[in-house]
Amino acid sequence: MEAWFIFALLSAVFAGLYSFSSKISAHFQHHSAQVTAYSFISATVLAGIYAIVMNTDTSHILLIAFIGLIDAIAYVVVSMTRIDALKEIEATIFFPVYKVISAILAVPIGVFIFSDILSGKEVLGIVIGLLAPLLLITRAEGRRQRNLRKGLWLLFGTVVAALIVTSMSKTIAVLELDAPTYVFFAFALGIPYALYLYKKTNGRAHKTRHVEWVGLLAGVFMFGNLFFFVKALTGNLGTVFLINSFSTVLVVALSVLMFKEHLNFKKAGALIVTVISLILLK
């Protein structure tokens, strides 16, 4: 077994664990800005060590910092809206819909902004992917969830913010700027923004258990996903993306096993549809 394949598997595991940490925070009703700040602190420390070890190129540092600032703001929004959405809807709904809608919307951004070429396979992936929301967003689920409409609006906010993060990462790659420096800024500049939102929303009055440890571990998982993903890119790009997409299966499985979330044939079918769609969109 080649090293890049092992790195791709580790990336998928860390991605799934990072996503599951959001479910844990939602379960304990953590303040989303507080747990996000903790996660960015641990991720920043690891990213700083990584940047030093990699002996990064500091040219164009102001441009990298500016792109990193946009990414940081969007990434904080991703983390917060995901946690808040999971307080309203189950992970078995959130993650399949989030994954497939994000992938579908990323395609036209790549085509119209970065001049990517849309293939027939990707068009088929979009069509198949649209089945996932249709299977999951039903009247019966509306009665089962705490607040399906609010959860879906928060999910949409997560998708929009995630697309900004993806666009900034793509910009770094297109301009061939230093990736480790960018990652450091993306995490470090998110800390003050998350703390500002925590203070603004009267977060200190929001006392919950385990928030520090969940947040710090989430940051480790977040960095681990990125670190192993980059290491895996020495292998086949399409295969790496495909393996990483299976993180959705991991987080849904953990949510069902640990928190006894509802799972039926429709949800299982939606999960299968999501994986097939992501394979075609890779």
Side-chain angles (χ1 to χ4, degrees):
M1 188 178 295
E2 296 186 50
W4 68 265
F5 186 79
I6 296 172
F7 290 140
L9 289 174
L10 288 171
S11 172
V13 170
F14 274 90
L17 292 174
Y18 173 54
S19 297
F20 185 62
S21 72
S22 297
K23 173 62 186 177
I24 295 172
S25 290
H27 175 76
F28 286 113
Q29 295 294 306
H30 290 160
H31 191 288
S32 57
Q34 185 182 20
V35 73
T36 296
Y38 277 115
S39 68
F40 273 55
I41 288 170
S42 57
T44 298
V45 172
L46 293 171
I49 295 171
Y50 179 52
I52 292 170
V53 170
M54 292 298 293
N55 191 22
T56 55
D57 178 12
T58 55
S59 60
H60 308 293
I61 193 165
L62 290 179
L63 177 59
I64 295 172
F66 177 71
I67 297 173
L69 175 62
I70 298 172
D71 189 301
I73 293 171
Y75 215 148
V76 167
V77 173
V78 168
S79 177
M80 290 180 60
T81 52
R82 178 161 64 178
I83 292 169
D84 290 336
L86 288 168
K87 293 175 183 177
E88 310 297 337
I89 58 177
E90 295 179 341
T92 50
I93 290 180
F94 179 90
F95 285 103
V97 175
Y98 166 71
K99 275 286 188 180
V100 75
I101 296 299
S102 296
I104 288 172
L105 293 181
V107 171
I109 289 177
V111 171
F112 293 110
I113 297 180
F114 297 104
S115 301
D116 292 344
I117 299 174
L118 182 62
S119 68
K121 186 177 68 172
E122 288 172 320
V123 173
L124 179 61
I126 291 172
V127 174
I128 293 175
L130 290 174
L131 294 174
L134 295 176
L135 288 169
L136 291 170
I137 303 170
T138 63
R139 187 172 297 177
E141 286 300 331
R143 292 191 295 268
R144 184 177 291 113
Q145 306 304 311
R146 181 178 178 183
N147 190 329
L148 181 61
R149 180 172 294 183
K150 182 180 179 181
L152 291 175
W153 275 113
L154 287 166
L155 188 156
F156 180 73
T158 307
V159 168
V160 172
L163 289 174
I164 295 173
V165 172
T166 301
S167 298
M168 293 302 101
S169 300
K170 179 80 171 181
T171 300
I172 290 291
V174 169
L175 297 178
E176 297 183 344
L177 299 173
D178 189 74
T181 304
Y182 159 70
V183 171
F184 173 77
F185 278 121
F187 290 143
L189 296 177
I191 296 172
Y193 182 53
L195 291 174
Y196 164 74
L197 293 176
Y198 175 62
K199 183 178 180 180
K200 186 178 180 181
T201 55
N202 195 27
R204 291 180 181 176
H206 195 90
K207 302 294 183 181
T208 47
R209 295 184 301 158
H210 314 304
V211 63
E212 298 90 352
W213 290 110
V214 173
L216 291 171
L217 277 173
V220 173
F221 296 146
M222 180 166 55
F223 176 79
N225 169 41
L226 179 64
F227 175 78
F228 287 114
F229 183 79
V230 171
K231 297 282 285 183
L233 291 179
T234 55
N236 182 277
L237 181 62
T239 305
V240 172
F241 273 101
L242 169 60
I243 294 170
N244 194 262
S245 69
F246 280 91
S247 63
T248 304
V249 179
L250 176 60
V251 66
V252 169
L254 287 172
S255 298
V256 172
L257 291 173
M258 300 296 291
F259 295 109
K260 310 301 180 186
E261 286 201 356
H262 179 261
L263 183 67
N264 56 20
F265 286 114
K266 272 192 175 182
K267 288 181 178 178
L271 191 59
I272 294 170
V273 165
T274 299
V275 172
I276 294 172
S277 175
L278 293 171
I279 290 171
L280 293 171
L281 288 167
K282 67 180 173 69

